[in-house]
Amino acid sequence: MEKTYSKIMMLSVAFMISMATFAETKINGVYYNLDGNKGEAQVTYNESAPAASTSSYSGAVTIPQVVTHEGKEYSVTSIGEEAFFENVGLTSVTIPNSVKSIGDKAFYGCSALTSVTIPNSVTTIGEGAFSSCNALTAINIPGSVESIGMGAFSSCNALSSIVVDKDNTVYDSRNGCNAIVMIANNMLVAGCKGTIIPNTVTGIGACAFYGCQSLTNISIPNSVRTIGNNAFALCYGLSSVNVPESVITIGRGAFMLCSSLSSVTINGVNTSIMSYAFDGCNSVASVKILSPAPPAIDNMTFAVYRDLHVPASVVKEYQVAEYWKKFRIVGDKK
């Protein structure tokens, strides 16, 4: 009986410690998870609201470096996952120098957010952190940032300027390219409507231009070897694409739902084209492929089957290739 009582008490104490560590508290209009053990605070959403997407914040929000609750001080060290998720009335936010991380989808869907300053204390920006912030025009990545999640700035239609601080050793914006490039592998991980892809970039990362509806044209240099999954998906304004001969892989859904895309030219000899790469591109009138060997595709690679232009010398090869039988094969002399 005594052992059972002791065990219950231990569990109760553990539960109380857990509650103290993750207690959600509203302080001066901002919600925090307070870690009583570490003396740290994480900005969060109002968990008592009907849904995390309920707008708890609006206008200009200033996050302090330190908050005080019941006589104890807490250093604000992070902005949690979905902390400002779909707060459509939020217009600006000031992030203090104490914050080290911005969580996944932290500012997702904050459609009125026009400005945000990321301090030089932040090391991590999560996946989709600023996705669908349609009023955001410029973003500056400080030298402290070491990790940027996939699609961190996707679907930001007004975004035209992306600058990485010159002191950053992980990412850069070489040659004023208006993009974020990972230095170690020359992979472009985030772009915008103002991006000019440098000829030192060897890959366009997954979701790099995802949902950039204001992107109308893009020049892919001959240095690029891979185009990642969903790299240009939902770029509704993109009218044509010329894939250089250097590209060996076009990822899954790379140009999916680019509804204005009318012409596609693939210059590579051994290009692999993944499923859904051009699915939903219903305006495509013709596809041109220069490879003498028909690339393998499946029934979901293209949404429509129009004219396929290939070298005249290999028309028969394409006509008998199972993957291309739905197209009308046209032989080009050049």
Side-chain angles (χ1 to χ4, degrees):
M1 184 71 175
E2 186 177 343
K3 289 183 178 179
T4 302
Y5 176 77
S6 298
K7 187 174 183 181
I8 291 173
M9 288 298 295
M10 289 174 64
L11 289 172
S12 297
V13 170
F15 177 74
M16 290 174 67
I17 292 173
S18 176
M19 289 295 288
T21 302
F22 299 104
E24 179 210 330
T25 307
K26 185 179 181 181
I27 305 173
N28 296 327
V30 179
Y31 291 89
Y32 300 94
N33 286 326
L34 302 179
D35 189 328
N37 297 326
K38 295 182 178 179
E40 295 179 351
Q42 178 189 71
V43 181
T44 188
Y45 53 81
N46 181 6
E47 293 181 0
S48 61
S53 60
T54 299
S55 294
S56 300
Y57 305 103
S58 63
V61 172
T62 298
I63 302 170
Q65 288 193 18
V66 177
V67 293
T68 302
H69 179 64
E70 296 182 349
K72 181 177 177 62
E73 288 190 345
Y74 298 83
S75 176
V76 181
T77 57
S78 64
I79 298 175
E81 181 177 333
E82 300 185 4
F84 295 89
F85 186 88
E86 289 188 346
N87 279 251
V88 296
L90 184 70
T91 57
S92 68
V93 61
T94 301
I95 302 173
N97 251 326
S98 54
V99 168
K100 299 175 183 178
S101 65
I102 299 173
D104 293 351
K105 298 183 180 179
F107 294 92
Y108 179 96
C110 293
S111 55
L113 184 65
T114 58
S115 66
V116 61
T117 300
I118 302 173
N120 201 35
S121 55
V122 171
T123 60
T124 303
I125 300 173
E127 291 188 7
F130 294 91
S131 180
S132 299
C133 291
N134 291 324
L136 198 61
T137 59
I139 198 76
N140 292 287
I141 305 297
S144 58
V145 172
E146 300 172 351
S147 174
I148 299 175
M150 184 173 62
F153 305 100
S154 63
S155 299
C156 293
N157 296 322
L159 191 60
S160 59
S161 173
I162 302 177
V163 177
V164 178
D165 189 273
K166 60 181 178 59
D167 292 329
N168 195 300
T169 59
V170 179
Y171 302 99
D172 66 30
S173 291
R174 61 193 67 174
N175 307 120
C177 63
N178 275 326
I180 301 172
V181 181
M182 185 175 286
I183 295 172
N185 59 4
N186 294 309
M187 178 76 70
L188 191 152
V189 296
C192 64
K193 66 178 181 180
T195 296
I196 299 174
I197 303 175
N199 59 12
T200 51
V201 166
T202 57
I204 300 172
C207 297
F209 291 87
Y210 183 96
C212 187
Q213 298 177 24
S214 51
L215 184 71
T216 56
N217 60 78
I218 193 74
S219 177
I220 303 174
N222 209 35
S223 56
V224 172
R225 292 178 58 80
T226 60
I227 299 175
N229 295 343
N230 299 307
F232 294 93
L234 277 73
C235 290
Y236 298 137
L238 193 61
S239 59
S240 65
V241 61
N242 190 335
V243 180
E245 60 183 355
S246 58
V247 171
I248 59 174
T249 302
I250 300 175
R252 185 180 178 89
F255 296 91
M256 184 173 63
L257 294 172
C258 291
S259 54
S260 296
L261 195 63
S262 59
S263 67
V264 176
T265 300
I266 300 172
N267 295 282
V269 174
N270 296 302
T271 304
S272 173
I273 309 172
M274 307 300 286
S275 295
Y276 302 100
F278 296 94
D279 186 40
C281 301
N282 297 325
S283 298
V284 172
S286 66
V287 177
K288 184 175 183 178
I289 297 181
L290 300 184
S291 174
I297 62 171
D298 60 32
N299 289 334
M300 303 304 297
T301 301
F302 289 90
V304 293
Y305 303 92
R306 305 284 172 80
D307 289 349
L308 174 64
H309 293 261
V310 300
S313 59
V314 293
V315 167
K316 289 184 178 179
E317 283 83 346
Y318 277 85
Q319 287 175 334
V320 299
E322 185 65 31
Y323 310 105
W324 298 100
K325 285 182 178 179
K326 292 184 179 180
F327 284 84
R328 177 178 174 268
I329 311 299
V330 180
D332 291 344
K333 292 182 179 179
K334 292 185 179 180

